[in-house]
Amino acid sequence: MNRSPAAPLPRVSGGAARSAHGPNLGDRAWSGLLGLLGGAVLLIVGVVVLALVHVARPALKAGAGTFVSSSDWDPVSGSFGALPFIYGTVVTSVVAILVAVPISVGLALFLQEMGPRKLRPVVSFGIETLAAIPSVIYGLWGLFVLVPALRDHLEPFLGRTLGFLPVFRGAPIGLGYLAAGLILAVMILPTIASVTTEVLKTVPASLKEGALALGATRWEAIRMAILPYSRAGILGATLLGLGRALGETMAVTMVIGNSPTISPSLFAAGYSLPAVIANEFAEATGDVHTGALAGLALVLFGVSLILNSAARLLVRMVASGPSRAVAS
Amino acid sequence: MSAAAPPKIRVEGLDAWFGETHAVRDVSLDVRPLSVLAVIGPSGCGKSTFLRCLNRMHELVPGGRATGKVTLDGEDLYARGVDPVSIRRRVGMVFQRPNPFPTMTIADNVSAGLRLNGWKGRLEEIVERCLRQAALWDEVKDRLHSPATSLSGGQQQRLCIARALAVEPEVLLMDEPASALDPIATARVEELMHELKARYTIVVVTHNMQQAARVSDQTAFFYMGELVEVGDTETIFTNPREQRTEDYVTGKFG
Amino acid sequence: MRSLLLRRIRNHLMTALCGLGVLLALAPLASLLWLVVSRGLPGLSLSFFTALPTPVGEPGGGVGNAVVGTGMLVSLACLLGLPLGVGAGVFLAERGDGLFGRTVRFTAEVFSGVPSIVVGIVAYGLVVVPMHHFSALAGALALALLMVPTLSRSTEELVRLVPGSLREASLALGVPQWKTSLRIVLRTARGGIVTAALLAVARAAGETAPLLFTTLNNQYWNLRPDQPTASLTVQIFNYAISPYEDWHQKAWSAALVLLLVVGGLNLLARIAMRNSLGSHR
Ligand SMILES: Nc1ncnc2c1ncn2[C@@H]1O[C@H](COP(=O)(O)OP(=O)(O)OP(=O)(O)O)[C@@H](O)[C@H]1O
Ligand SMILES: [Mg+2]
């Protein structure tokens, strides 16, 4: 064979190189390294759970049962009833969801199905910016902008018009469940809106076109074809938002009023799980107090794991539905 | 090349699967050294899969596996302990779509295989030689250090051929190398195959009957994963044994 | 005919309502950005970046130590968080199709939704308790743990953008898998990985909750990782919830600084992304 004399790669004599172990050492080392790095993620979660349980142990030993059943939180006298915090977390999250979901879904529908295409990059840039703003800045804004606005305008107005509902009764002080819920709504909006947009993108165009071809208006096509198809995905987006709302700390701490009480009025000051941890952990009086706060964190962790798993499964169900391009 | 010369590649009883899909069924054929074998057949009949089995690229697809025997100069490529990496240095491949490395310059693309394999030495001469062999030198000699992505599609494909030649393979597998190119670029690549035949054994997949007839010495016709017929190109196109082959090459189906 | 009219009206009504959603979503953003800039700007001066905080009532003073503290915290967090996060992402992209990979992916996704304050307690248990005092190290560990899951997923997405044909081209040249991964796939994805890392850094710089009881705060300069350390976010929090007018002003100015840092990092991330896409196609 008239091969050039300067064949650059020395050919292994006897043809194909043989190595005792199949694939070469470099490949196996690389696979091993990558496997370790992937395993590190699992390891981190394991360490997190163990460390949490470890810090919470003094309180768990002292009887965790009273944790969720009692509403009396008084670290000095050693009573750790978490009900006011759980209540506050639930109420603020519900307010956040009730406000954020319609806005986010409306926004996603408008961008994806109704409004001019040119709007999309502008609005999604805005949404990404919302998501990137640190929560302490939301808290600052909430404290000095939202709270006064609620106190002076929205709460008196709601009291006048809807005051027959117990949730809108009471003195308009600004700080409280409503302020926390609204600031949470702003903060979880990007999550819900962007996941919903992704979900809407997976709706086959043929579904919508089919409805439009039958003479449906655009809104009817959305109601008949698009919303039913993406319902599970929107639910998943909502759960993701809920997960964020439950665990959001700084902004809530700054505007909820930090009062360990339970009150039916949204205008009243309250407390939330992350807020009490933020406020008391650094100065906790003894192991049991620290442990009780860590126990609250454990509750938060468990709930967020459940919510996020459910949300991811729902979103994935939609995404992997009929058509999903196979990645490389 | 006398007919008595031992085959460069011998395939015996080759079967290939992707998961449950049986893509290549019991194929046996020989490829003569320093010749061009064209592989033709309707879409999905297993041509690409067959080609990939010749340098064990099929293993890279999850679920891809093959059984049977493929020998290169008499050595079993599938034997235990054979390193597919060293096979691929001897059996190079050019793909349907040009795929130059986008982060590298033209010159670096050509020498990529050498550099990545740890070869140290002067690269300029090799780059020039391979670009000349790939009939690209005159077009790029003044901009060897611009990004490979600045080339046209046809130039990119010839760059990929130069890249494959740089590691000095013995066999060149080409999977529809001209299907993404315009007629002029296609003609250049065909010319190129003629020249390369003097130094390399070539197996080329093509959908284009005229191309197969122009460039190849032998032609293999695949249908539904099976090798229907293989023989001298002239025979396959003028006087095939099988009715299916005749129907296909005369355009009655496929 | 009347029903058609009604349907049309309803269509327009719903379109308007959805459009209102866009406005309602963006109004707080506009208000927030405007207020941070307009209230923060008057307090900004060179000394705001270089001076230590002053007690209430004393004019001047700045957040120099907090800026340095945030820089140190984030750098320390990057030492652990970036290699683990990027590495796990590369694992997911390169070897993540099996059961193990799917498990890791799902875990990372779920874990990225865990409240950051929870991770703060973890760092407290792992570092503060054994060391018996608060330290930058503890806060950095919390930030690193928070970085890994999100960073791994975004790295994966961006590495997967590298066309499989490039990998094939390299393998067909007889380049081993590991070299193909490192020198071709990751080299091509470099811009994307830089983007993902910058976004992770930006997120870490804005974290407050996990620092409250790990790094605590510090009124003075500190560069020792084993000591309590000031950070921009905790400083904003302390200033904001104080009852003093001039501290509120400092909170706004510090918020503007933080916003500039985070915004700058996001901008860099966008540039890195654009460059990497631009050079490939
Ligand atoms: N990565 C893969 N995973 C699963 N099945 C595959 C894969 N690649 C190919 N196949 C299947 O194997 C069979 C043969 O495919 P192959 O790509 O070899 O055909 P081909 O003759 O090259 O077709 P074409 O002319 O369209 O390129 C087809 O049925 C195809 O669906
Ligand atoms: Mg093919």
Side-chain angles (χ1 to χ4, degrees), chain C residues 16-33:
Chain C
L17 277 180
C18 290
L20 185 65
V22 177
L23 289 182
L24 284 177
L26 296 185
L29 176 67
S31 159
L32 187 147
L33 291 179

Side-chain angles (χ1 to χ4, degrees), chain B residues 43-44 46-49 96 175-176 205 207:
Chain B
S43 187
K47 304 181 295 293
S48 299
T49 309
Q96 181 167 357
D175 194 351
E176 302 184 42
V205 170
H207 268 290

Side-chain angles (χ1 to χ4, degrees), chain A:
Chain A
M1 244 168 259
N2 59 343
R3 202 145 284 295
S4 83
L9 278 184
R11 221 152 257 135
V12 186
S13 59
R18 273 155 208 280
S19 60
H21 310 288
N24 69 54
L25 209 62
D27 282 351
R28 295 201 307 163
W30 175 240
S31 283
L33 175 68
L34 288 181
L36 282 180
L37 287 165
V41 173
L42 302 182
L43 185 74
I44 285 175
V45 176
V47 167
V48 163
V49 174
L50 289 181
L52 266 183
V53 171
H54 179 74
V55 180
R57 206 168 42 189
L60 298 180
K61 261 198 247 155
T66 60
F67 233 44
V68 286
S69 58
S70 160
S71 62
D72 184 26
W73 180 269
D74 184 1
V76 182
S77 69
S79 48
F80 298 101
L83 223 44
F85 314 120
I86 295 174
Y87 176 80
T89 298
V90 170
V91 169
T92 51
S93 303
V94 168
V95 170
I97 291 293
L98 288 180
V99 174
V101 169
I103 294 181
S104 315
V105 173
L107 177 143
L109 284 176
F110 190 81
L111 279 196
Q112 215 47 44
E113 308 293 343
M114 304 165 160
R117 251 163 204 281
K118 267 189 251 163
L119 217 56
R120 282 185 204 173
V122 181
V123 175
S124 56
F125 179 76
I127 296 295
E128 279 169 34
T129 311
L130 268 182
I133 291 174
S135 69
V136 70
I137 296 186
Y138 277 110
L140 185 69
W141 179 77
L143 193 55
F144 293 109
V145 180
L146 187 64
V147 165
L150 289 184
R151 184 185 57 217
D152 300 338
H153 305 292
L154 187 63
E155 288 183 357
F157 169 77
L158 285 174
R160 279 198 308 276
T161 51
L162 296 169
F164 55 90
L165 296 169
V167 290
F168 295 130
R169 266 184 219 157
I173 52 171
L175 293 173
Y177 298 116
L178 186 61
L182 289 182
I183 199 105
L184 282 177
V186 179
M187 297 181 73
I188 65 175
L189 207 145
T191 308
I192 306 181
S194 57
V195 177
T196 303
T197 308
E198 289 307 309
V199 167
L200 290 181
K201 279 184 192 161
T202 66
V203 178
S206 56
L207 271 184
K208 186 179 61 177
E209 282 157 11
L212 288 174
L214 289 175
T217 64
R218 201 184 282 266
W219 169 249
E220 284 163 343
I222 289 173
R223 273 221 16 219
M224 285 159 38
I226 294 177
L227 286 183
Y229 187 90
S230 39
R231 204 160 33 198
I234 294 175
L235 182 61
T238 305
L239 291 184
L240 277 182
L242 186 58
R244 268 206 77 183
L246 290 178
E248 177 45 48
T249 309
M250 297 320 295
V252 173
T253 306
M254 291 164 86
V255 302
I256 198 170
N258 296 336
S259 149
T261 50
I262 293 180
S263 160
S265 167
L266 290 182
F267 300 170
Y271 226 144
S272 80
L273 288 170
V276 71
I277 301 172
N279 281 327
E280 293 189 3
F281 198 89
E283 282 124 36
T285 54
D287 274 358
V288 180
H289 190 188
T290 309
L293 292 168
L296 298 185
L298 206 53
V299 173
L300 215 49
F301 182 69
V303 173
S304 93
L305 283 194
I306 294 169
L307 276 178
N308 281 299
S309 310
R312 295 292 173 185
L313 289 175
L314 278 171
V315 172
R316 186 171 303 177
M317 238 166 59
V318 177
S320 66
S323 67
R324 184 170 154 78
V326 182
S328 67

Side-chain angles (χ1 to χ4, degrees), chain B residues 157-187:
Chain B
Q157 190 62 304
R158 277 177 283 149
L159 178 64
C160 291
I161 293 173
R163 180 177 68 185
L165 298 178
V167 292
E168 293 275 322
E170 300 158 39
V171 179
L172 207 53
L173 308 175
M174 305 175 109
D175 194 351
E176 302 184 42
S179 70
L181 307 184
D182 68 30
I184 294 173
T186 301

